[in-house]
Amino acid sequence: MNQSNLTTTALTALRVIAGFLFAAHGWQKFSEFTIAGTQASFAKMGVPAADLAAPVVATLELVGGIALILGVLTRIFAALLAVDMLGALFLVHAPAGVFAAAGGYELVLLLATAAAAVALTGAGKLSVDNATFGRSASKLSVLA
């Protein structure tokens, strides 16, 4: 496998797995915790505007995760998801230390980094973005 194929494979794997995890967390906020439960939980954790933040975050994580999996508007959704995770890190998880078992930030830091990497690199060759915007002559090729 040449470097280009390895890079395509690695970027696709990163984008799809990160997207899956974001979508799973968004779905969990809707289905298992419910939006009302997520709002209460966010309020208890000290998240500002928890009543508004909970449905926005749940929707971003679900829709953004699916968008990452497919590679649709990837840079935009990945950047928003990175900001989402940085908010979670600084507002909630940082005081608990590194380890997730104690409520720490290891998972949100990893997800923020994965999302930021995808935002910086774009969706890659195996994506809807590349199929739609990948022509170098396209003014929207920056999205690919």
Side-chain angles (χ1 to χ4, degrees):
M1 215 179 238
N2 65 34
Q3 187 61 38
S4 178
N5 289 342
L6 289 173
T7 301
T8 295
T9 301
L11 182 55
T12 301
L14 177 64
R15 192 188 80 235
V16 169
I17 297 302
F20 169 75
L21 291 174
F22 278 115
H25 281 267
W27 179 252
Q28 183 182 42
K29 287 174 178 69
F30 279 109
S31 64
E32 184 179 333
F33 300 153
T34 74
I35 293 301
T38 303
Q39 288 169 320
S41 180
F42 277 19
K44 185 176 178 182
M45 290 184 271
V47 174
D51 286 348
L52 177 63
V56 168
V57 165
T59 302
L60 172 60
E61 290 176 359
L62 178 60
V63 174
I66 293 167
L68 288 188
I69 292 167
L70 299 174
V72 175
L73 299 175
T74 307
R75 288 182 189 266
I76 295 165
F77 278 111
L80 291 170
L81 289 164
V83 170
D84 171 36
M85 289 296 99
L86 290 174
L89 190 154
F90 291 113
L91 292 173
V92 177
H93 296 280
V98 175
F99 301 108
Y105 58 83
E106 67 182 325
L107 176 62
V108 296
L109 180 60
L110 184 59
L111 287 171
T113 304
V118 172
L120 292 169
T121 61
K125 291 180 185 177
L126 300 176
S127 66
V128 173
D129 284 347
N130 187 59
T132 306
F133 308 117
R135 298 183 322 268
S136 60
S138 171
K139 292 182 182 187
L140 298 175
S141 64
V142 69
L143 295 174

